[in-house]
Amino acid sequence: MSASGKPRLLIVGPPGSGKGTQAAFLSERFGIPAISTGDIFRANIKGGTPLGKQVQELVRGGGYVPDSLTNEIVRDRLHQPDALDGFLLDGYPRTTDQVVALDALLAENGTSLDAVVQLQAETEEVVVRLLKRAEAEGRPDDTEDVIRHRLELYAKETAPLIEVFTARGLVVAVDGLGEVSEVTARIDAALAARGIIVPAV
């Protein structure tokens, strides 16, 4: 925890687990910025920045944004004043190499992550939820096969990260299904058990 009592958190969860919603709540309640690499990339692409053009070129060619570039973006973001006391990372790190880079970056400031909030969700429930969302939002490409593939990819990519953070005793696993307010209450209780208390309003 920072001197101001604000935490440095990471949130992970499969597509459809309500991660974006809970990330926004955590950010607001703790008064820390929610830092999503996806949002940063999209904002730069929209703004036509040199970074945005670089990312767009890579994605258009069917490639991935390399770790080196992603690490640099996160480094820059974490050095901005609003993130110095605490932050919530969403979508980064995605690989074990990125974990190493994040460790090194935080060590420079003599800090480290306080907790990793892992939203868990039963695959079949998530598939149903995402199919309903696809229908409501008019996303014909989000078929059951596509959704299942995304969930398998998430599980494959995330498993090694969860192992690393579990070994460090950082993972706070929470059931991500149910009413939004119920999930929020579960997260608050799990963090409180680790001494990370949401400030009273």
Side-chain angles (χ1 to χ4, degrees), residues 57-182:
E57 204 62 39
L58 286 163
V59 175
R60 193 180 286 141
Y64 286 105
V65 180
D67 281 358
S68 54
L69 184 57
T70 307
N71 294 338
E72 203 46 53
I73 284 160
V74 173
R75 165 186 287 277
D76 176 66
R77 184 65 187 87
L78 291 184
H79 277 106
Q80 289 173 23
D82 66 334
L84 294 177
D85 281 343
F87 53 77
L88 173 69
L89 287 170
D90 175 4
Y92 177 95
R94 275 189 193 278
T95 65
T96 45
D97 283 349
Q98 288 180 358
V99 172
V100 172
L102 178 62
D103 285 344
L105 169 58
L106 294 176
E108 285 173 19
N109 304 329
T111 61
S112 60
L113 284 176
D114 294 307
V116 175
V117 177
Q118 182 194 15
L119 291 181
Q120 298 176 324
E122 208 274 321
T123 301
E124 297 310 312
E125 294 259 6
V126 171
V127 169
V128 169
R129 185 187 277 194
L130 288 175
L131 283 172
K132 279 183 186 163
R133 189 165 83 184
E135 195 179 336
E137 295 178 6
R139 299 184 186 185
D141 295 342
D142 276 6
T143 62
E144 184 171 336
D145 284 348
V146 168
I147 288 168
R148 286 188 185 280
H149 177 67
R150 280 168 57 204
L151 290 169
E152 282 167 16
L153 201 61
Y154 164 81
K156 191 175 156 190
E157 283 184 346
T158 315
L161 304 185
I162 298 300
E163 278 178 29
V164 169
F165 291 125
T166 299
R168 296 181 189 178
L170 289 176
V171 175
V172 174
V174 174
D175 180 1
L177 295 176
E179 291 296 319
V180 170
S181 57
E182 288 173 6

